[in-house]
């Protein structure tokens, strides 16, 4: 089995597991994790025997989004601070999150996001890129990029518009407000909300009900639905968002928002209520 620094991958027959594995940071995504998620997606694509993959997080949260303590001071592991690297290197970094989301969305296997604790920012977008979603009661969602002084990138806005519609996408991205699993189910973002102690069993049950169906019509259905979603709301120009991110995150006002946000949310005693 391939090994990763920030992930675990396992298989049990036709069922695969992709586990974010930085529990001490609530599975916050650094650049290594973004690259490894894309690599893991390609690894599963080579395994024709694995038909469903459950995407989950180790520890007490699914994913706390971009790693705000990493080397980047831009508020995103996909945009290094200006001046720290060549334009080419910065542009490459700015495409990482989109490449991750595209790789997950385009996996041959059916993906089920198993959500608990928190699904924040890029963690929310990882879940958006999965085919089906099951969350534990009490899971908290929010998308803080705008408060961090940057636009939501990684193809997140077109994907959210597909799933939630334009007005709700605008509200959640512009206000950065928190919402819970019950509201996310009402938005039709989640397929199931289950008691926390039933989460793993319910995700497996959903996987089993897909695995009980013939393989080829299932993957054709996935491709059909993805093609229809792309036709409704194309995300083909999302590559431009990385370039926008480089520009916006070099602005002093954006850097100030990011520093203020990190001080309020990550420092002990400075927590947001
Ligand atoms: N990047 C880096 N480290 C993070 C992190 C992130 N996005 N989110 C959490 N962590 C770290 C915390 O700093 C803390 O580390 P410490 O134990 O060394 O102090 C640890 O993970 C646990 O987080 P903590 O804040 O103590 O947990 P909590 O349950 O009180 O709060 C959150 C959970 C998710 C509400 C809070 O951690 C948070 O708001 N994180 C930032 C989320 C965010 O804005 N992400 C950016 C998305 S673009």
């Amino acid at each position: 089995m391939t090994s990763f620094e920030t992930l675990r991958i396992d298989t049990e027959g036709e069922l695969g597991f992709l586990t974010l594995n930085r529990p001490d940071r609530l599975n916050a995504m650094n650049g290594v994790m973004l690259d490894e998620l894309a690599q893991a997606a390609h690894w599963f694509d080579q395994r024709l025997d694995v038909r469903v993959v459950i995407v989950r997080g180790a520890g007490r949260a699914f994913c706390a989004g971009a790693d705000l303590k990493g080397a980047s001071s831009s508020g995103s592991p996909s945009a290094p601070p200006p001046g720290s690297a060549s334009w080419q290197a910065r542009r490459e970094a700015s495409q990482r999150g989109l490449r991750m989301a595209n790789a997950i969305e385009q996996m041959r296997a059916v993906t089920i996001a198993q959500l608990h604790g928190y699904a924040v920012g890029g963690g929310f977008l990882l879940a958006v890129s999965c085919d089906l979603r099951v969350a534990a009661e009490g899971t908290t969602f929010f998308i803080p990029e705008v408060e961090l002084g940057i636009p939501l990138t990684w193809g997140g806005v077109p994907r959210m518009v597909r799933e939630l519609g334009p007005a709700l996408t605008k509200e959640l991205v512009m206000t950065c407000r928190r919402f819970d699993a019950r509201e996310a189910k009402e938005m039709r973002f989640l397929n199931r909300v289950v008691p926390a102690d039933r989460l793993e069993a319910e995700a497996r049950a959903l996987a089993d009900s897909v695995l009980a169906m013939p393989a080829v019509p299932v993957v054709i259905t996935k491709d059909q639905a993805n093609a229809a979603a792309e036709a409704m709301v194309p995300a083909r120009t999302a590559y431009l968002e990385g370039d926008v991110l480089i520009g916006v995150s070099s602005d002093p006002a954006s850097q100030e928002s990011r520093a203020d946000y990190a001080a309020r949310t990550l420092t002990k005693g400075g927590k947001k209520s």
Side-chain angles (χ1 to χ4, degrees):
M1 190 76 69
T2 308
S3 66
F4 294 102
E5 184 183 318
T6 65
L7 311 174
R8 285 198 322 262
I9 52 176
D10 312 280
T11 57
E12 284 177 18
E14 295 180 307
L15 182 58
F17 296 90
L18 198 172
T19 310
L20 309 185
N21 195 26
R22 300 182 78 212
D24 53 329
R25 290 211 178 172
L26 306 186
N27 301 315
M29 294 165 144
N30 58 13
V32 175
M33 184 185 279
L34 293 179
D35 291 346
E36 289 190 342
L37 278 164
Q39 289 160 17
H42 297 314
W43 184 86
F44 278 116
D45 284 343
Q46 305 306 312
R47 293 283 306 259
L48 272 182
D49 54 320
V50 178
R51 296 178 47 211
V52 176
V53 174
I54 292 178
V55 181
R56 62 190 181 180
R60 66 183 175 89
F62 175 69
C63 177
D67 189 333
L68 299 175
K69 290 178 170 170
S72 165
S73 67
S74 64
S76 167
S78 54
S84 70
S86 69
W87 182 13
Q88 187 182 25
R90 288 165 58 206
R91 188 164 197 287
E92 273 306 295
S94 78
Q95 301 297 319
R96 272 176 153 162
L98 178 63
R99 285 188 186 138
M100 176 281 292
N102 287 346
I104 296 291
E105 185 180 74
Q106 288 159 19
M107 279 173 70
R108 181 190 37 74
V110 174
T111 48
I112 300 175
Q114 177 183 308
L115 306 167
H116 73 293
Y118 291 93
V120 183
F124 183 82
L125 296 185
L126 171 59
V128 174
S129 302
C130 292
D131 299 311
L132 306 171
R133 300 168 205 110
V134 181
E137 286 166 359
T139 306
T140 299
F141 303 88
F142 58 104
I143 302 153
E145 271 75 359
V146 165
E147 197 176 350
L148 270 157
I150 55 175
L152 183 66
T153 57
W154 302 7
V157 170
R159 286 196 173 95
M160 283 180 66
V161 168
R162 286 175 191 167
E163 304 291 319
L164 309 177
L168 203 45
T169 298
K170 287 175 191 165
E171 182 200 331
L172 298 176
V173 177
M174 287 174 182
T175 68
C176 308
R177 75 168 174 86
R178 295 182 178 209
F179 52 102
D180 64 12
R182 202 172 25 171
E183 187 179 354
K185 175 80 165 55
E186 280 166 15
M187 295 170 183
R188 304 171 74 169
F189 176 68
L190 298 173
N191 297 85
R192 310 250 192 293
V193 179
V194 301
D197 61 358
R198 295 279 313 148
L199 178 62
E200 186 178 338
E202 295 289 343
R204 279 174 179 264
L206 185 56
D208 286 344
S209 60
V210 175
L211 290 172
M213 295 294 136
V216 174
V218 166
V219 292
I220 292 174
T221 302
K222 170 168 176 163
D223 290 345
Q224 286 172 318
N226 282 358
E230 178 65 29
M232 278 190 308
V233 184
R236 280 188 296 272
T237 54
Y239 70 91
L240 289 168
E241 296 173 352
D243 301 304
V244 172
L245 182 61
I246 290 173
V248 173
S249 59
S250 68
D251 189 274
S254 170
Q255 291 168 6
E256 201 177 308
S257 297
R258 190 266 179 195
D260 179 55
Y261 180 88
R264 276 185 291 119
T265 54
L266 293 179
T267 52
K268 301 277 181 221
K271 295 271 183 196
K272 262 183 109 176
S273 55

